[in-house]
Amino acid sequence: MANVVEAWELGIAEAALMIRGGELSSVELVDSVVARVAETEDFARAWAHVDVAGARIAARKADLELKCGSRLSLLGIPLGVKDVIDVSGMPAEGGSAALRGRIATKDAGAVRRLRQNGAIILGKLETHEFAFGQGTPPTRNPWDPRRYAGGSSVGSGVAVAVGSVPGALGTDTGGSVRNPACVNGLVGLKPTLSLVSGSGVLNVSHTLDHIGPLARNVEDCAALLGGMAEESALPRLRGPAALGGSSGGPPVRLGVDRAMWKTWGVTQGVIDVVERALDRLAALGFHIVELSLPELEMALPASLAISLSESAHHHRRMLRENPSRYLSGTRVMIETGALITTADVDLAHAVRDYLRSSLERSFQRAGIEALLSPTLPAIAPMAAAMSHELTADTGENSLSAALRMLSTANLTGMPALSVPCGLSAGQPVGLHLMGLAFSDATILHIARSYEEASPWRDMVPLHQLPSRDQQVSRAAEPGS
Amino acid sequence: MRSGGGRAAKVLTPEQFDAVAGLVGADLAREDESAVAVAFGDFRVGMDELRETFGTITNGEAGGERG
């Protein structure tokens, strides 16, 4: 293993190649990752459940399959799964006391596909309760434990960042894959709607929920997408999901709407970092085109109408059985959803249809392949200053402000990705790329072109975690 | 487009209260009433603005290259 000390430091594509080439066994990789879990969990608290015995059995089986000639794309690679996605035989509590003790009896569709492609499921990762973004899971931000660690796929982001797993699944209803990817210095993809099976998920909203991968680099993210996508949907991609060969090609036009960044309240520190990323893309031969897309502002209220009203439907039975076991913040969101009228939902669907067609027209008119923006309006807020409200505009340090920037992709079903593009005040900043439906491979290629020309791919995994002094000072803060 | 103008609301209408109570029971509905009223008020403001904006935007041509 040239240039690395431990197997846990390897990315997915690199480790898979070494396993297939006989340079590394799956057992060695799983043992190294399990040791890293033990090394980091005291700080990170990213895992809700780790199945060490099951992972070792699966690793031995993968090594045997290799000897029998298997060349599956993810053979022997351990992965983590957000605890709103079912993994057969593992706890499936959705981060909620209301489901304490629930064990999944069947794999979610995306998990089934990953296993078919050779992956090993190491365990379940912490989530905000039922992926609503409310409350405070125990997971800590490894860049600064005083700060928000991302959400709601918080364990998925932190585990991949600290190296306790090379890749993970999250769910994204309004940005919950891309948000923790951004905050933790990772690549996170919300695939095109229907590209990945949505079965076996504790839904917030069956219309807006998407399962997506988080990884340390674009190549790994693409490998995960290729391994989890529905076989029947893959031909609709304009190219292979897994990246191979050169990312070169004819010059590509990319759109930006800087006026919208101001409307969204993006901070100057984040804008400065993103502008440098745009300069780098321009130097690579990409044409940056300024657009005006005021209709993007309609996405958040329409998304909330659909997601909250559907959440009341999904949670009705469980809420009636165990209402006091829900966090009050989650309960209030679902109760709010129960008050939304059919007329509001109809309007939201009309807005959804309009945005799909108007964005497609705008992309075609401008000849662009992707719309670029900052992923989040600011660096990770101090946890104590974070507002978790969904329905109120409460400034740059709020979940609502993040949803406002990210929910268009969920509402329209378009693919969107966050790739690290630098640091502001020592915290990661993400560049967000959104493409037309089934252009997932295209936006992955654009992101990889940028990543190859920038120094940010090596930001993770983080080898040094915050010191005990920093952890103690966090614990002493009010509300922590 | 989101002004948060629904912040003044503190109580639900009887129909709204019944809908919430049907989900979580009357005791928790009372406990959550103020927070739900505020959240729904904020949501309502956003939806009313959306209805107005959507009406305006669909009458004109949205989107286009600036230069």
Side-chain angles (χ1 to χ4, degrees), chain A residues 253 257 259 289-292 295 297-298 300-301 305 316 319-320 323-324 331 335-336 338-340 343-344 347 350-351 354 362 365-366 389 391-393 400, chain B residues 1-2 7 12 16 19-20 22-24 28-29 31-32 35-36 38-40 42-44 46-47 50-51 53-54 57-58 60-67:
Chain A
R253 287 160 68 88
D257 182 352
V289 179
E290 187 79 32
L291 301 178
S292 174
E295 63 266 43
E297 268 296 81
M298 297 193 294
L300 178 58
R316 188 168 295 276
L319 201 49
R320 277 183 177 146
S324 61
R331 203 172 59 225
E335 290 166 338
T336 302
L339 304 180
I340 294 172
D344 285 338
L347 171 63
V351 169
Y354 172 80
S362 294
R365 197 179 297 143
E389 288 192 55
T391 52
D393 186 354
S400 172
Chain B
M1 99 180 249
R2 312 187 66 235
R7 294 259 126 180
L12 299 172
Q16 290 171 335
V20 174
L23 266 184
V24 299
L28 278 176
E31 188 178 317
D32 295 343
V36 176
V38 169
F40 186 71
D42 289 333
F43 168 80
R44 190 69 269 142
M47 283 309 289
L50 174 65
R51 195 172 293 280
T53 305
F54 189 53
I57 212 165
T58 49
E61 184 54 36
E65 192 171 338
R66 256 194 203 122

Side-chain angles (χ1 to χ4, degrees), chain A residues 373-393:
Chain A
S373 63
T375 302
L376 294 174
I379 59 171
M382 289 295 179
M386 176 81 185
S387 163
H388 296 268
E389 288 192 55
L390 301 182
T391 52
D393 186 354

